[in-house]
């Protein structure tokens, strides 16, 4: 298949125009109260004859449905999309509007296909087959591997969308393999792991409330990554909340919100947190009572941070020392304060968990823990995940304990394996080389997402069998598989959605799937029925499976959710409470304290000590940096920062949607004007970005968004995959890759 991306052409003028428009489009779409012209017109007029409205969701920014879509449907076709009224997130951003172009993209994968040329051929020779043939082949291959090597040799992987996670996990465990994994192996679970180790439970922080005086946004740029959240933060700002934003770039979030911007060198988050703690302690601004009663390891931390003066932190991070001190001073005076983190930026480093634990430790010292307006934990945690998955449905309570000893990651990722049933996917190449994995069932996977992607492509190619479901044929992944299955899009599939706290929604399909595309839940139930038995997979029915997942999660069947676009509120058993560590509501055993071994916030982590890691949130320089490898830095003097978000795309998604493509038609690297000038580079120039690990050719954007000496380069372009520049260097605790550190150079092509 032709690489669709290469069909596009770009002129210097359209490139520059796109860069400017992208910021404007997102800013407009995220203004609270903004309504599209069509929405305004509809408010004034009834729908045309033959037109109906149907309700669905956009999942384009985080693979999790977040914004409500009101679809305008005529003759079985979606002819327009609008933001949905009376819904938690509104309006739609440009990516939400693009869902209609995605739905009707003529390049969609519409039929199951098998390769006819052997693996290793440049052209797989895809040939259309029936679903029956696909199922028969998959069942024969997987059962063959099970008989010959054992069921654990089959890996089950769920990427984007995240919706089929419960179904995929159930499929893996009922087949007998503990080797289920998903894309959280590089996303949300390193920060979650850091929080579990430190606070005893996962958290990404808490949104500011009306009470919040100060909000610490650490490496988070919702203007581009979560437009649905950005408008809410602007409102908080208007209501008086102050913001400290930590980010190596001057993003629209920084410009709109930051009272203090801490513009650090990428990869040095831990050093900044330690310097802030030094200042907090030395100025007596920490919460002494909270620390004395509820923190383990304060004395050890105090000793450790003695050398991490704000001056030293300034030297390491590149932030002016006065700004670090001013930020800490603000924390001493503005309470309550909350922290809002991101799924991953602080943990895309070779010191991921400890850097992130530094931030969590700083918050603990400030005492803003579980107080109204501060960093709170839910009083009545929901017993289900974002897609209503529960241990009972996913089979983590009964089947997983019987097979967990055969997981592939225990020796390489012992801390991860201790906490999570899902295996750490980043070592796929090693698992295949070591004979631990022989086959894969993949939904929405992307070999390009890992550092040194060719190693993952080789691993896929070397497996005895691989099948992948997707919306499109993606040669950089599917050329290494034996079979591809066509997946239905959100407009075409059903799901239980629990993404807005206690309000649970049922998304029903509003049009039939194109061609022979099937919803992921549907093909997983059908495959499971043939592979294991229909009784375990609801007779192969997507609808019955969604009914079951809802019943396990909420006690209510699917009928109670039908026809309710406003969702169903699952009432909590009691009111929200604060300082729950005093009343025993945070621990599993009901005792006062946090759900850690000591019952305290463990700045000194007993679990990490047990596993042979440093128990304190120690700082380590990036493996390659001007300080750790000064000789290498002479050849590669710029700091490499990959993986940040842009307003028009999400990771590798949406590249071919015309309304988005116009906004960024080619892969770019952002370069500070000083660095560009020193290299004779102008905006729009074709440039080579090289690192000790690879090189790619992109176009230069010269901008003050990035700090001098660091570049920002976007990932997800098949013709210029930024992950080729990144080392396969993993954090020893979470095993996360270091996407946001490293060295590089930019030269004119
Ligand atoms: S913010 Fe945009 S991309 Fe994200 S869910 Fe909403 S409409 Fe979709």
């Amino acid at each position: 298949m032709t690489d669709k991306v290469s069909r596009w052409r770009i002129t210097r003028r359209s490139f520059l125009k796109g860069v400017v428009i992208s910021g404007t489009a997102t800013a407009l779409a995220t203004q609270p109260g903004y309504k599209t012209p069509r929405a305004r017109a509809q408010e004034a007029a009834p729908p045309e004859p033959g037109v109906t409205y149907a309700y669905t969701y956009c999942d384009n920014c985080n693979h999790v449905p977040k914004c409500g879509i009101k679809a305008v449907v005529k003759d079985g076709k979606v002819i327009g999309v609008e933001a949905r009224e009376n819904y938690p997130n509104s309006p739609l951003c440009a990516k939400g509007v693009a869902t209609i172009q995605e739905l009707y993209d003529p390049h969609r994968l519409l039929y199951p296909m098998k390769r006819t040329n052997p693996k290793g051929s440049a052209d797989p020779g895809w040939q259309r087959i029936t679903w029956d043939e696909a199922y028969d082949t998959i069942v024969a291959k997987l059962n063959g591997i099970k008989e010959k090597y054992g069921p654990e040799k089959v890996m089950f992987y769920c990427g984007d969308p995240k919706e089929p996670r419960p179904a995929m996990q159930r499929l893996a465990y009922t087949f007998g393999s503990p080797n289920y994994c998903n894309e959280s192996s590089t996303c949300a679970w390193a920060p979650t792991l850091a929080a579990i180790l430190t606070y005893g439970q996962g958290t990404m922080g808490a949104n500011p409330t009306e009470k919040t005086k100060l909000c610490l946004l650490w490496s988070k740029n919702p203007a581009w990554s979560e437009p649905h959240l950005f408008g809410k933060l602007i409102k908080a700002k208007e209501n008086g909340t102050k913001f400290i934003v930590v980010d190596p770039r001057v993003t629209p979030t920084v410009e709109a919100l930051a009272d203090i911007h801490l513009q650090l060198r990428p990869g040095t988050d831990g050093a900044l947190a330690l310097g802030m703690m030094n200042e907090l302690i030395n100025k007596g601004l920490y919460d002494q009572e909270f620390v004395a009663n509820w923190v383990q390891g304060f004395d050890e931390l105090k000793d450790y941070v003695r050398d991490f003066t704000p001056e030293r932190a300034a030297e390491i991070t590149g932030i002016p020392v006065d700004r670090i001190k001013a930020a800490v001073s603000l924390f001493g005076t503005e309470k309550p304060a909350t922290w809002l983190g991101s799924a991953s930026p602080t943990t895309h480093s070779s010191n991921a968990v400890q850097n992130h634990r530094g931030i969590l430790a700083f918050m603990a010292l400030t005492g803003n823990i579980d107080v109204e307006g501060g960093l709170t934990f839910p009083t009545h945690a929901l017993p289900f995940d974002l897609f209503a998955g529960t241990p009972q449905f996913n089979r983590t309570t009964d089947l997983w304990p019987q097979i967990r000893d055969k997981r592939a990651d225990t020796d390489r990722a012992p801390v991860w394996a201790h906490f999570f049933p899902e295996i750490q996917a980043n070592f796929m190449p090693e698992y295949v080389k070591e004979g631990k994995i022989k086959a894969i069932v993949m939904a929405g996977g992307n070999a390009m997402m890992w550092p040194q992607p060719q190693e993952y492509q080789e691993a896929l190619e070397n497996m005895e069998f691989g099948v992948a479901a997707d919306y499109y044929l993606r040669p950089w992944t599917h050329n290494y598989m034996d079979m591809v299955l066509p997946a239905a899009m959100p407009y075409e599939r059903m799901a239980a959605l629990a993404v807005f706290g206690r309000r649970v929604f049922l998304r029903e399909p509003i049009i039939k799937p194109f061609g022979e595309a099937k919803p992921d839940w549907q093909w997983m139930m059908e495959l499971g029925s043939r592979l294991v038995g229909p009784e375990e997979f609801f007779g192969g029915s997507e609808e019955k499976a969604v009914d079951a997942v809802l019943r396990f999660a909420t006690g209510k069947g699917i009928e109670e959710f039908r026809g309710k676009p406003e969702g169903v509120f699952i009432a909590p058993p009691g009111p929200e409470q604060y300082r729950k560590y005093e009343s025993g509501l945070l621990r599993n055993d009901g005792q006062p304290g946090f759900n850690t071994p000591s019952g305290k916030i463990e700045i000194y982590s007993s679990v990490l000590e047990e596993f042979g890691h440093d128990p304190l949130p120690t700082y380590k320089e990036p493996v390659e940096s001007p300080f750790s490898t000064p000789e290498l830095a002479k050849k590669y003097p710029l700091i490499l920062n990959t993986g940040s978000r842009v307003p028009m795309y999400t990771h590798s998604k949406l590249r071919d949607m015309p309304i988005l493509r116009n906004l960024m038609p080619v892969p770019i690297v952002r370069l500070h004007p000083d660095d560009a000038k020193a290299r004779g580079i102008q905006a729009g120039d074709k440039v080579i970005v090289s690192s000790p690990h690879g090189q790619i050719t992109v176009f230069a954007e010269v901008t003050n968004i990035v700090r001098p000496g660091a570049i920002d380069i976007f990932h997800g372009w098949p013709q210029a995959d930024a992950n080729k520049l990144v080392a396969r260097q993993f954090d020893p605790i979470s095993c996360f890759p270091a996407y946001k550190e490293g060295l590089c150079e930019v030269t004119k092509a």
Side-chain angles (χ1 to χ4, degrees):
M1 181 180 165
T2 316
D3 173 359
K4 285 184 285 171
V5 170
S6 63
R7 293 196 312 271
W8 291 82
R9 295 285 180 271
I10 169 78
T11 63
R12 185 184 176 103
R13 197 166 154 227
S14 63
F15 160 73
L16 293 171
K17 190 172 125 202
V19 168
V20 175
I21 291 170
S22 63
T24 316
T26 305
L28 177 66
T30 53
Q31 287 303 311
Y34 171 78
K35 287 186 177 157
T36 59
R38 180 188 279 271
R40 286 199 300 272
Q42 279 173 358
E43 276 174 8
E48 301 163 31
V51 165
T52 55
Y53 297 133
Y55 298 91
T56 189
Y57 307 82
C58 173
D59 69 350
N60 266 344
C61 63
N62 281 308
H63 334 295
V64 174
K66 282 288 182 182
C67 292
I69 291 177
K70 180 175 168 185
V72 187
V73 183
K74 190 173 183 186
D75 300 330
K77 282 194 174 161
V78 180
I79 60 166
V81 293
E82 296 294 340
R84 199 160 147 175
E85 304 92 0
N86 303 320
Y87 187 74
N89 284 345
S90 186
L92 298 174
C93 77
K95 287 181 283 192
V97 176
T99 54
I100 191 168
Q101 292 187 337
E102 195 184 22
L103 177 66
Y104 292 111
D105 186 334
H107 301 100
R108 277 187 61 181
L109 178 60
L110 298 180
Y111 308 101
M113 297 209 278
K114 67 176 180 188
R115 69 181 310 132
T116 55
N117 292 332
K119 280 186 171 176
S121 315
D123 174 13
W126 293 117
Q127 184 184 84
R128 181 177 167 181
I129 56 173
T130 63
W131 274 98
D132 270 338
E133 184 183 341
Y135 288 143
D136 288 346
T137 306
I138 300 168
V139 168
K141 292 284 185 188
L142 297 194
N143 279 339
I145 283 163
K146 187 179 196 171
E147 260 171 46
K148 199 166 161 193
Y149 309 109
E152 70 277 10
K153 304 293 179 185
V154 182
M155 176 185 265
F156 292 80
Y157 179 87
C158 191
D160 169 46
K162 294 178 182 173
E163 268 174 49
R165 284 185 179 190
M168 187 69 108
Q169 197 164 9
R170 185 180 179 94
L171 186 60
Y173 297 165
T174 50
F175 178 71
S177 174
N179 292 318
Y180 159 74
C181 45
N182 56 48
E183 55 81 45
S184 287
S185 279
T186 58
C187 182
W189 286 359
T192 300
L193 183 57
I196 292 171
L197 290 163
T198 313
Y199 294 158
Q201 64 183 97
T203 176
M204 297 287 175
N207 287 354
T209 69
E210 284 173 6
K211 301 253 184 221
T212 305
K213 295 265 183 56
L214 177 65
C215 179
L216 173 62
L217 279 182
W218 199 300
S219 290
K220 194 172 182 72
N221 177 22
W224 289 351
S225 62
E226 295 171 89
H228 53 80
L229 171 65
F230 187 49
K232 293 170 188 168
L233 297 181
I234 288 177
K235 244 184 198 166
K237 175 93 181 165
E238 285 167 359
N239 289 339
T241 302
K242 293 194 170 94
F243 283 83
I244 296 171
V245 184
V246 180
D247 200 305
R249 302 163 306 153
V250 188
T251 64
T253 301
V254 169
E255 287 184 327
L257 298 176
D259 293 281
I260 297 178
H261 175 205
L262 301 177
Q263 193 177 11
L264 78 179
R265 167 166 64 97
T268 62
D269 304 74
L272 174 59
L274 292 168
M276 288 168 74
M277 285 192 274
N278 172 298
E279 177 76 356
L280 202 68
I281 294 168
N282 285 339
K283 290 279 156 53
L285 293 173
Y286 68 101
D287 187 328
Q288 298 185 21
E289 192 188 335
F290 181 81
V291 167
N293 290 320
W294 301 107
V295 170
Q296 169 172 290
F298 177 71
D299 291 339
E300 292 89 340
L301 177 83
K302 194 174 165 187
D303 275 352
Y304 180 65
V305 301
R306 189 162 288 130
D307 289 341
F308 269 94
T309 59
E311 287 74 15
R312 185 173 167 209
E315 195 188 329
I316 296 172
T317 62
I319 302 167
V321 66
D322 290 350
R323 281 208 204 173
I324 297 176
K325 289 183 176 179
V328 174
S329 169
L330 210 56
F331 263 94
T333 48
E334 302 287 339
K335 292 185 182 228
T338 188
W339 155 74
L340 204 46
S342 256
S344 41
T346 51
T347 52
H348 283 165
S349 91
S350 53
N351 196 42
V353 165
Q354 298 291 36
N355 281 354
H356 199 76
R357 274 176 24 82
I359 301 166
L360 301 174
F362 172 77
M363 282 306 295
L365 296 194
T366 69
N368 287 289
I369 303 293
D370 212 25
V371 293
E372 197 173 359
L375 174 55
T376 52
F377 305 113
T379 306
H380 309 284
L382 289 162
F384 45 87
D385 66 20
L386 298 175
F387 306 106
T390 57
Q392 297 96 321
F393 183 89
N394 300 10
R395 309 302 295 264
T396 45
T397 32
D398 57 346
L399 295 180
W400 181 67
Q402 300 170 32
I403 55 179
R404 63 184 294 179
D405 289 349
K406 292 178 181 167
R407 61 187 294 165
D409 62 345
T410 317
D411 51 348
R412 292 188 174 276
V415 184
W416 176 284
H418 179 73
F419 286 103
F420 299 133
E422 299 83 352
I423 67 162
Q424 175 44 277
N426 299 337
F427 297 121
M428 186 202 290
E430 284 76 14
Y431 302 150
V432 174
K433 279 182 198 147
E434 292 160 2
K436 290 176 175 170
I437 295 296
K438 302 274 187 189
I440 188 164
V441 178
M442 183 184 251
N446 182 1
M448 209 169 41
M449 67 178 271
W450 285 286
Q452 301 303 305
Q454 70 281 1
E455 296 209 23
Y456 295 83
Q457 290 166 337
E458 193 184 314
L460 292 172
E461 191 167 86
N462 287 337
M463 290 192 202
E464 292 186 16
F465 180 73
V467 55
D470 214 313
Y471 301 146
Y472 302 99
L473 261 183
R474 304 184 202 262
W476 50 91
T477 304
H478 298 148
N479 275 8
Y480 308 93
M481 310 296 285
D482 294 277
M483 189 184 286
V484 287
L485 305 174
M489 287 192 170
Y491 288 94
E492 305 163 327
R493 63 184 194 234
M494 170 176 278
L497 305 174
V499 294
F500 290 113
R502 308 201 75 90
R503 194 161 284 282
V504 178
F505 296 81
L506 173 69
R507 188 194 58 222
E508 297 193 73
I510 60 177
I511 56 167
K512 288 202 173 89
F514 274 31
E516 292 179 9
K518 285 190 191 236
D520 289 314
W521 277 71
Q522 180 69 41
W523 71 256
M524 287 179 193
M525 292 303 118
E526 289 175 356
L527 177 61
S529 293
R530 291 180 184 225
L531 201 54
V532 182
E535 61 287 349
E536 292 281 9
F537 288 92
F538 313 99
S541 161
E542 174 200 30
E543 188 170 332
K544 286 184 182 158
V546 172
D547 178 58
V549 84
L550 279 168
R551 282 181 196 279
F552 275 125
T554 68
K556 299 175 193 292
I558 196 168
E559 293 308 327
E560 296 194 51
F561 293 84
R562 285 198 196 280
K564 291 183 180 156
E566 74 285 1
V568 172
F569 185 68
I570 310 299
E576 201 57 34
Q577 295 178 45
Y578 299 99
R579 298 187 192 280
K580 295 181 280 293
Y581 46 85
E582 290 173 346
S583 52
L585 286 171
L586 291 182
R587 285 184 61 85
N588 292 339
D589 60 11
Q591 295 299 308
F594 294 83
N595 198 31
T596 56
S598 64
K600 296 188 173 184
I601 288 182
E602 293 201 356
I603 290 179
Y604 189 101
S605 166
S606 52
V607 176
L608 286 180
E609 188 170 41
E610 217 175 283
F611 277 93
H613 294 288
D614 202 319
L616 288 173
T618 44
Y619 174 69
K620 287 197 178 71
E621 259 297 295
V623 174
E624 291 168 3
S625 87
F627 294 97
S628 56
T629 54
E631 281 307 309
L632 198 62
K634 285 180 189 160
K635 188 172 177 196
Y636 300 103
L638 297 169
I639 306 295
L640 175 67
N641 187 21
T642 73
S644 62
R645 295 291 187 89
V646 289
M648 66 294 286
Y649 304 128
T650 301
H651 302 314
S652 61
K653 286 166 48 164
L654 303 167
R655 290 293 193 281
D656 285 340
M657 301 309 111
I659 65 165
L660 302 177
R661 183 79 183 194
N662 285 337
L663 304 176
M664 188 188 281
V666 289
I668 67 166
V669 57
R670 287 192 163 141
L671 203 61
H672 190 272
D674 294 350
D675 295 321
K677 193 174 169 196
R679 289 161 178 77
I681 293 169
Q682 293 188 352
D685 279 353
K686 206 176 201 184
V687 294
I688 295 168
V689 184
S690 54
S691 82
H693 310 284
Q695 67 173 50
I696 57 174
T697 303
V698 296
F699 292 84
E701 183 188 341
V702 179
T703 170
N704 286 312
I705 284 177
V706 292
R707 46 173 284 152
I711 65 160
D712 188 23
I713 188 161
F714 306 121
H715 55 298
W717 293 93
Q719 72 275 50
D721 182 4
N723 287 332
K724 287 185 178 161
L725 305 170
V726 179
R728 281 196 80 229
Q729 182 72 47
F730 299 101
D731 167 48
I733 300 170
S734 63
C735 307
F736 263 39
Y739 296 117
K740 290 181 171 54
E741 60 177 52
L743 296 171
C744 66
E745 177 58 303
V746 182
T747 49
K748 268 179 101 161

